[in-house]
Structure formats: structure tokens, C-alpha cells
Amino acid sequence: MSKRSNTRISLDKRAAIAIQNHFRLTNYQMLVLSWIKGIWTGILCSLVVHYFVNH
């Protein structure tokens, strides 16, 4: 089980490094990008919940 989770973590790290290198982003810019992605995801989830509650 431990080996499988390490593979997922390493895959995530490699994906983040690939994105960072492709767009030439600094660590701070990656942090801001992930924060904006989290805000966007929260907004979308709240809109979906709002739609199903009101309809």
C-alpha cells in the first residue's frame, strides 16, 4: 500500500514540475495557481449545489 501511494505522490510531483517548467512558473506562481484553482473549484461546487437545492 505504501508503495502505491508513493507512486501517486511522485506522479503528482512530476506533473507539477512539468507544468512549472512548461509555463516557466516560479514556486510562488505555482502556489497562486493552486489557490486560484481551489477558489474556482469551490465556486463551481457551490453553484452546482445551489442549482440542485433551488430546482
Side-chain angles (χ1 to χ4, degrees):
M1 182 87 175
S2 173
K3 188 174 184 178
R4 187 173 186 178
S5 65
N6 286 339
T7 303
R8 289 182 184 164
I9 291 172
S10 66
L11 179 64
D12 186 47
K13 281 184 179 181
R14 285 186 290 165
I17 290 171
I19 291 169
Q20 191 171 10
N21 290 338
H22 179 75
F23 293 107
R24 296 183 180 145
L25 301 173
T26 65
N27 288 339
Y28 179 74
Q29 289 171 326
M30 285 293 287
L31 179 68
V32 170
L33 183 65
S34 66
W35 185 80
I36 290 172
K37 181 183 174 277
I39 293 293
W40 180 248
T41 303
I43 290 170
L44 288 177
C45 287
S46 67
L47 289 174
V48 168
V49 168
H50 178 75
Y51 176 79
F52 284 120
V53 167
N54 287 334
H55 290 105

